[in-house]
């Protein structure tokens, strides 16, 4: 089988999309599928000088998405749509095209490429658009954005030969939208086994004084969609706890300004750290904050939830739905709805007072690795592709 994996993000990027894509591609290659990756040039932003592109990876050029404004996103998405189709023309024949989204506009590229190559089309849906836009309150179904994204999504589901997605709630939603007979495969994100093989970085411990706690950490994008103002609300009334925020994003400056104005000396914005640094921070923290901005995002499971528990770090989860089910399975955290600020403060106090023994943390971490290995799920998905679409031409 010769397979084209079309993605917005791949190595050397360390985005959640790139991490998922790399594990899926590795699994496909390991079962004998001839995979060619076609990824956006955004993957190369901030790449180390030592990076060497694998022979099976091709990058299509598009407008660099360094600042995530609406205009830049449109330039990036529409430019990438055209460039990816053009790049695929010189890559030969394929039996299957797998496209992972968002961005949803990449679906239109995949449809065109699959049709020209006479290939089967698999849509890997990490977020169901336009639903996410509605659930976050970004736009309504009747708006131009709603109608545009809805049209693209319906077109993709109509022609797809298979759809895969990352949570049970998303799978249930998608089964109502694809034609009868189109398989919908559950391929959860899970925990990347390579992540928990990291060793603690003593330089990170020293730099951020991680031995001086208790520490509540947040690691990830500091954007409008994370609702981190709630975490600062908690910090303002719990001065005996250190709040360390790692990452960057559109909301970082506003949050820094708020912390400065309110004199929140226990809140520190620590910049970005690599995977080993993230592992170290989670290992030393008393708890980690994992938020979704709205209770309406019931079928979303943040990747960082898997990572926190796999490091034995208790989680304060601001969410409802599938992610709550996962956290309760592990027994290593507490939760409340994102809109329930009083409930989140109570859950925070519960975790700080409760504490977890080294043994309890280790049991939860091992349980996460056994039950939710990303590599295991990826291998099963690769074997499913072979089983449904055969060995190729």
């Amino acid at each position: 089988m010769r397979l084209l994996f079309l993605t917005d993000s791949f190595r050397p990027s360390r985005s959640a999309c790139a991490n998922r894509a790399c594990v899926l591609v590795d699994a496909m290659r390991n079962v004998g599928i001839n995979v060619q990756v076609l990824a956006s040039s955004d993957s190369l932003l901030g790449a180390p000088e030592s990076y060497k592109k694998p022979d099976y990876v091709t990058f299509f050029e598009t407008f660099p998405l360094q600042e995530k404004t609406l205009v830049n996103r449109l330039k990036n998405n529409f430019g990438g749509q055209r460039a990816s189709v053009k790049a695929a023309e010189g890559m030969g024949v394929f039996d299957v095209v797998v496209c992972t989204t968002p961005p949803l506009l990449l679906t239109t590229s995949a449809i065109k490429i699959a049709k020209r190559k006479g290939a089967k089309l698999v849509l890997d849906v990490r977020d169901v658009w336009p639903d996410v836009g509605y659930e976050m309150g970004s736009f309504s179904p009747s708006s131009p954005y709603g109608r545009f994204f809805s049209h693209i999504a319906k077109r993709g589901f109509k022609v797809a030969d298979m759809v895969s997605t990352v949570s049970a709630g998303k799978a249930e939603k998608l089964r109502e939208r694809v034609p009868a007979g189109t398989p919908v495969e559950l391929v959860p994100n899970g925990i990347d086994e390579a992540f928990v093989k990291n060793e603690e970085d003593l330089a990170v411990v020293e730099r951020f004084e991680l031995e001086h706690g208790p520490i509540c950490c947040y690691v990830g994008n500091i954007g409008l969609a994370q609702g981190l103002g709630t975490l600062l609300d908690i910090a303002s009334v719990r001065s005996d706890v250190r709040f360390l925020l790692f990452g960057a994003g559109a909301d970082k400056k506003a949050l820094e300004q708020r912390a400065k104005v309110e004199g929140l000396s226990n809140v520190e914005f620590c910049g970005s750290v690599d995977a080993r640094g993230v592992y170290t921070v989670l290992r030393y923290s008393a708890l980690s904050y994992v938020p979704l901005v709205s209770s309406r995002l019931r079928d979303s499971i943040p990747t960082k939830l898997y990572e926190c528990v796999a490091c034995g770090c208790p989680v304060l989860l601001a969410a409802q739905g599938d992610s709550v089910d996962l956290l309760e399975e592990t027994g290593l955290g507490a939760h409340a709805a994102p809109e329930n600020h009083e409930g989140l403060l109570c859950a925070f106090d519960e975790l700080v007072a409760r504490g977890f023994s080294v043994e309890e943390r280790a049991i939860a971490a091992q349980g996460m690795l056994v039950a939710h290995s990303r590599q295991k799920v990826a291998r099963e998905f690769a074997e499913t592709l072979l089983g449904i679409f055969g060995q190729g031409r």
Side-chain angles (χ1 to χ4, degrees):
M1 179 191 292
R2 197 161 190 267
L3 183 148
L4 177 68
F5 194 98
L6 180 60
T7 177
D8 179 57
S9 186
F10 201 73
R11 290 279 186 267
S13 171
R14 292 290 170 177
S15 69
C17 172
N19 293 339
R20 173 181 172 80
C22 285
V23 173
L24 290 176
V25 167
D26 285 346
M28 293 172 191
R29 286 165 54 83
N30 288 340
V31 300
I33 299 175
N34 179 355
V35 183
Q36 295 295 310
V37 175
L38 181 56
S40 166
S41 55
D42 278 347
S43 305
L44 299 170
L45 294 174
E49 293 183 4
S50 59
Y51 172 72
K52 293 183 179 179
K53 183 180 74 67
D55 292 339
Y56 61 88
V57 177
T58 299
F59 293 106
F60 61 86
E61 292 291 333
T62 190
F63 184 86
L65 194 58
Q66 292 174 309
E67 290 187 51
K68 296 181 179 180
T69 64
L70 174 60
V71 173
N72 287 352
R73 284 184 186 276
L74 292 173
K75 288 181 179 179
N76 177 275
N77 285 197
F78 279 101
Q81 179 192 38
R82 294 188 295 269
S84 58
V85 173
K86 185 176 180 180
E89 290 177 355
M91 297 179 70
V93 175
F94 293 98
D95 302 292
V96 178
V97 173
V98 175
C99 175
T100 184
T101 66
L104 184 59
L105 204 58
L106 204 59
T107 299
T108 62
S109 303
I111 293 171
K112 190 172 292 186
I113 294 169
K115 184 176 181 180
R116 291 181 179 181
K117 304 288 184 181
K120 300 295 185 181
L121 176 62
V122 177
L123 298 181
D124 178 57
V125 181
R126 305 189 315 277
D127 282 316
V128 182
W129 278 84
D131 299 49
V132 171
Y134 307 153
E135 291 160 358
M136 291 176 59
S138 301
F139 50 82
S140 67
S142 60
S143 69
Y145 293 117
R147 293 196 299 270
F148 175 69
F149 286 125
S150 180
H151 170 73
I152 293 176
K154 288 178 180 178
R155 183 182 171 204
F157 296 146
K158 182 178 179 180
V159 301
D161 297 284
M162 175 191 285
V163 175
S164 59
T165 193
V166 295
S167 73
K170 285 181 170 64
E172 182 179 352
K173 183 182 292 183
L174 291 170
R175 288 190 182 103
E176 297 176 353
R177 303 187 186 186
V178 303
T182 301
V184 176
E185 295 292 324
L186 179 58
V187 187
N189 273 322
I191 177 65
D192 186 345
E193 294 178 10
F195 179 73
V196 293
K197 292 178 181 178
N198 275 295
E199 295 182 354
E200 293 177 6
D201 188 337
L202 296 182
V204 169
V205 175
E206 182 177 355
R207 179 183 174 188
F208 299 109
E209 300 181 333
L210 298 183
E211 292 180 321
H212 297 199
I215 291 171
C216 173
C217 72
Y218 170 82
V219 183
N221 184 47
I222 303 179
L224 300 175
Q226 281 66 51
L228 292 175
T230 301
L231 187 60
L232 264 61
D233 291 341
I234 295 174
S236 68
V237 292
R238 294 295 180 265
S239 58
D240 56 332
V241 177
R242 296 178 64 204
F243 292 80
L244 306 186
L245 282 71
F246 292 84
D251 210 27
K252 184 179 178 183
K253 287 185 179 180
L255 290 171
E256 285 180 321
Q257 181 63 21
R258 177 185 163 184
K260 181 178 179 181
V261 170
E262 296 183 13
L264 303 181
S265 59
N266 59 329
V267 176
E268 303 170 48
F269 292 85
C270 305
S272 299
V273 289
D274 60 14
R276 186 182 176 195
V278 173
Y279 174 83
T280 304
V281 170
L282 293 176
R283 293 285 293 173
Y284 275 79
S285 294
L287 71 156
S288 177
Y289 185 56
V290 178
L292 291 173
V293 71
S294 170
S295 292
R296 297 176 67 189
L297 296 165
R298 297 186 61 85
D299 56 18
S300 294
I301 301 178
T303 302
K304 59 178 71 73
L305 176 55
Y306 293 100
E307 294 175 345
C308 292
V309 176
C311 289
C313 182
V315 172
L316 172 62
L317 176 66
Q320 297 278 275
D322 287 354
S323 54
V324 169
D325 293 341
L326 176 61
L327 181 62
E328 290 185 339
E329 175 191 324
T330 71
L332 197 68
H335 61 86
E339 303 82 4
N340 184 358
H341 295 194
E342 183 178 342
L344 285 168
L345 178 59
C346 289
F348 175 88
D349 289 340
E350 174 189 333
L351 289 177
V352 173
R354 159 76 165 76
F356 287 88
S357 68
V358 173
E359 183 180 11
E360 286 175 318
R361 291 179 180 226
I363 290 173
Q366 183 61 26
M368 177 63 78
L369 189 61
V370 170
H372 300 282
S373 161
R374 182 178 292 182
Q375 277 72 11
K376 179 182 177 182
V377 168
R379 185 166 56 250
E380 292 172 349
F381 180 51
E383 291 170 349
T384 297
L385 291 175
L386 282 175
I388 291 179
F389 298 118
Q391 299 295 322
R393 306 178 191 188

